[in-house]
């Protein structure tokens, strides 16, 4: 072998070796992840291991597991510092049994376990971030049995988002345990354009709040969003979503008290039609019947979890009335009629206007009954802030 061939082969081997670690785990989150996260309800002060255990219990006993929810994710404030070797340490007051024991408990219920970190020096709540410890933290997560990691974007001054998230992606891959990777940089660096190669979902809005329409000072792009603000930020992003790569308009507020029954139903339905991750954010151990029936409507969840993985988009956009369409596998179509206004909407849908043929049967997924065919126009009286969700079948 000449020296040239030898050095060429050495270079190829090096490239292959590097590439081996430069990828996300494939075959994960082929449909939008479903689960629960502690932040919306318990925030920093309220989270501890009892909450996580009770949540895992309730996910099973409430029927949510049966409806498809599987990840139990601890958000910020589980971590307190690093030991002398730099290993991340859980807060011993909140998590006295340690993270491994908690992950084992969650797994014993047939569920999966998730955790939170931040790409910067400190998390958004001021706990230690992963900057400079990515590989070490990924090894801890893998050892503990973590299945899902959310990585936030606070305290990242001077950092490049793509590079930072790729670093954690590579660290997770090297640690060897398949972990769903959830990027949480709020859409600041247009993650939909690059994060498909990096993680399985990426936030495409700022933080939701338990509010229908509130908008923060920055239009909800980072702080103080709401159902409507976060929803509207998804427009035009549908082409970036698909199996293993999802836009994330933030976690659900269903059941947290700030929304009416109609608003909870609309919020949930719209997230399903958007193929959004369905991460509940309420107290699962204390849910009203209404909350349970909203969160566990299997026919609406089936739209979200449809294996074609298409994100729904607007086909009608009046000021107070919108129609979302989501193509489904097998040629079915989901339609969400959404009354944003404060008056009841008397909808009269002429299917031809949307190039929907006459040959479909219609099922109303909240009334859970057949609702005619597309041969005639569809009439419905939709209360304020409510939806009618239809499945059109061949
Ligand atoms: C940011 C994230 C939230 C939550 C908090 C935790 O605001 O966007 O989802 O994780 O940090 O501090």
């Amino acid at each position: 072998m000449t020296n040239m061939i030898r050095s060429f082969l050495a270079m190829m081997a090096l490239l292959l070796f590097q590439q081996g670690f430069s990828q996300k785990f494939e075959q994960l989150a082929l449909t939008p992840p479903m689960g629960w996260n502690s932040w919306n309800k318990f925030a920093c002060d309220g989270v501890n291991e009892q909450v996580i255990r009770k949540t895992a219990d309730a996910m099973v006993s409430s029927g949510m597991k049966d409806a498809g929810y599987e990840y139990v994710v601890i958000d910020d404030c589980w971590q307190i510092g690093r030991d002398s070797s730099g290993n991340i340490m859980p807060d011993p007051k909140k998590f006295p049994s340690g993270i491994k024991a908690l992950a084992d408990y969650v797994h014993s219920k047939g569920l999966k376990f998730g955790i939170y970190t931040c790409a910067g020096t400190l998390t958004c709540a001021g706990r230690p971030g992963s900057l400079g410890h990515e590989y070490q933290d990924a090894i801890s997560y893998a050892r503990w049995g973590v299945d899902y990691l959310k990585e936030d974007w606070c305290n990242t001054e001077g950092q490049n988002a793509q590079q930072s998230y790729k670093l954690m992606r590579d660290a997770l891959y090297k640690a060897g345990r398949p972990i769903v990777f959830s990027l949480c940089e709020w859409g600041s660096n247009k993650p939909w354009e690059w994060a498909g190669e990096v993680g399985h979902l990426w936030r495409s809005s700022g933080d939701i709040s338990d509010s229908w329409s509130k908008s923060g000072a920055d239009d909800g792009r980072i702080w103080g969003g709401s159902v409507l603000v976060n929803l509207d930020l998804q427009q035009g992003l549908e082409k970036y979503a698909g199996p293993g790569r999802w836009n994330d308009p933030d976690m659900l507020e269903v059941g947290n008290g700030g929304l009416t029954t109609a608003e909870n139903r609309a919020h949930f339905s719209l997230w399903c039609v958007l193929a959004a991750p369905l991460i509940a954010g309420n107290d699962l151990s204390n849910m009203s019947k209404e909350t349970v029936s909203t969160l566990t409507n299997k026919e609406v969840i089936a739209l979200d979890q449809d294996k074609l993985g298409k994100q729904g988009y607007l086909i009608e956009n009046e000021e107070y009335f919108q129609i979302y369409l989501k193509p489904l596998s097998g040629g079915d179509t989901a339609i969400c009629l959404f009354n944003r206004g404060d008056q009841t909407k008397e909808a009269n849908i002429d299917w031809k206007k949307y190039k929907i043929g006459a040959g479909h049967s219609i099922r109303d997924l909240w009334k859970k009954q057949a609702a005619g065919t597309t041969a005639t126009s569809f009439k419905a009286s939709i209360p304020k802030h409510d939806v009618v969700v239809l499945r059109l079948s061949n």
Side-chain angles (χ1 to χ4, degrees):
M1 234 186 316
T2 68
N3 276 346
M4 228 167 79
I5 294 176
R6 208 172 278 138
S7 47
F8 174 75
L9 286 177
M11 216 161 76
M12 292 303 288
L14 184 71
L15 267 175
L16 273 176
F17 176 77
Q18 281 178 338
Q19 276 200 339
F21 294 140
S22 298
Q23 65 180 91
K24 70 177 193 181
F25 284 102
E26 299 294 345
Q27 301 306 312
L28 292 180
L30 295 180
T31 61
M34 291 178 67
W36 173 91
N37 171 298
S38 55
W39 187 254
N40 285 356
K41 173 69 185 174
F42 296 95
C44 190
D45 293 344
V47 70
N48 57 51
E49 65 179 43
Q50 283 79 39
V51 166
I52 304 300
R53 282 169 195 261
K54 264 169 73 179
T55 300
D57 295 346
M59 193 177 272
V60 177
S61 62
S62 65
M64 285 185 66
K65 175 176 185 249
D66 182 49
Y69 295 85
E70 60 176 340
Y71 294 98
V72 176
V73 183
I74 318 179
D75 206 277
D76 208 347
C77 299
W78 62 270
Q79 60 297 68
I80 194 107
R82 292 190 179 275
D83 68 14
S84 55
S85 315
N87 295 310
I88 189 77
M89 294 188 310
D91 182 333
K93 287 209 187 80
K94 287 165 173 280
F95 295 92
S97 323
I99 303 299
K100 171 87 172 70
L102 203 49
D104 289 348
Y105 185 79
V106 170
H107 290 149
S108 77
K109 300 268 156 185
L111 299 167
K112 291 184 172 157
F113 178 74
I115 209 163
Y116 162 102
T117 190
C118 182
T121 48
L122 297 172
T123 70
C124 296
R127 303 303 176 104
S130 281
L131 185 65
H133 292 274
E134 292 81 1
Y135 280 79
Q136 191 173 21
D137 287 354
I139 289 169
S140 298
Y141 306 148
R143 280 200 188 127
W144 292 336
V146 168
D147 306 296
Y148 181 111
L149 177 70
K150 167 176 170 181
E151 189 175 36
D152 216 335
W153 190 239
C154 281
N155 304 300
T156 54
E157 285 71 24
Q159 285 178 235
N160 172 292
Q162 285 196 47
Q163 280 169 12
S164 301
Y165 283 104
K166 280 181 179 166
L167 191 57
M168 185 54 92
R169 170 199 68 183
D170 295 347
L172 292 174
Y173 198 75
K174 177 130 195 262
R177 182 178 171 91
I179 290 180
V180 170
F181 189 27
S182 157
L183 283 66
C184 179
E185 61 77 82
W186 321 307
S188 315
N189 297 277
K190 301 196 170 153
W192 41 87
E193 289 180 353
W194 49 266
E197 309 301 312
V198 183
H200 305 92
L201 59 157
W202 51 83
R203 280 277 294 279
S204 43
S205 74
D207 287 9
I208 198 168
S209 60
D210 189 14
S211 150
W212 179 243
S213 58
K214 179 180 111 186
S215 170
D218 59 352
D219 284 340
R221 279 180 194 279
I222 299 182
W223 306 115
S226 56
V227 173
L228 289 190
V229 166
N230 289 27
L231 170 72
D232 291 344
L233 288 169
Q234 310 313 307
Q235 268 185 49
L237 301 186
E238 56 272 6
K239 67 173 184 234
Y240 301 104
R245 42 176 74 204
W246 309 104
N247 291 301
D248 174 10
D250 206 2
M251 303 170 292
L252 297 167
E253 291 284 6
V254 174
N256 276 334
L259 304 174
T260 65
T261 302
E263 290 167 349
N264 277 320
R265 179 165 47 236
H267 170 30
F268 187 73
S269 305
L270 288 158
W271 262 232
C272 287
V273 167
L274 288 173
L278 295 180
I279 308 293
N282 58 315
D283 181 355
L284 300 195
S285 68
N286 185 15
M287 290 193 276
S288 68
K289 276 207 181 106
E290 239 165 31
T291 297
V292 175
S293 71
T294 303
L295 287 172
T296 60
N297 183 323
K298 290 186 184 174
E299 289 183 274
V300 177
I301 291 173
L303 307 180
D304 181 79
Q305 294 293 303
D306 183 82
K307 62 179 187 303
L308 197 58
K310 293 274 186 211
Q311 177 172 327
Y313 50 87
L314 281 171
I315 56 168
E316 186 67 79
N317 193 13
E318 294 169 9
E319 190 174 2
Y320 296 119
F321 181 63
Q322 294 181 321
I323 305 179
Y324 279 86
L325 182 151
K326 182 186 200 287
L328 302 172
S329 54
D332 283 11
T333 304
I335 297 284
C336 180
L337 310 176
F338 177 31
N339 177 10
R340 297 173 68 116
D342 292 336
Q343 312 296 326
T344 298
K345 167 79 182 176
E346 300 301 337
N348 189 355
I349 311 301
D350 175 10
W351 298 109
K352 288 192 287 297
K353 182 175 174 200
Y354 308 108
K355 302 193 171 55
I356 293 171
H360 304 278
S361 59
I362 304 176
R363 186 167 165 83
D364 182 321
L365 303 187
W366 285 109
K367 284 193 180 152
K368 303 185 182 180
Q369 64 188 31
T373 74
T374 50
T376 54
S377 62
F378 180 85
K379 294 187 184 58
S381 186
I382 312 173
K384 74 178 228 185
H385 303 182
D386 209 341
V387 286
V388 168
V389 183
L390 306 173
R391 185 177 185 122
L392 312 186
S393 300
N394 290 318

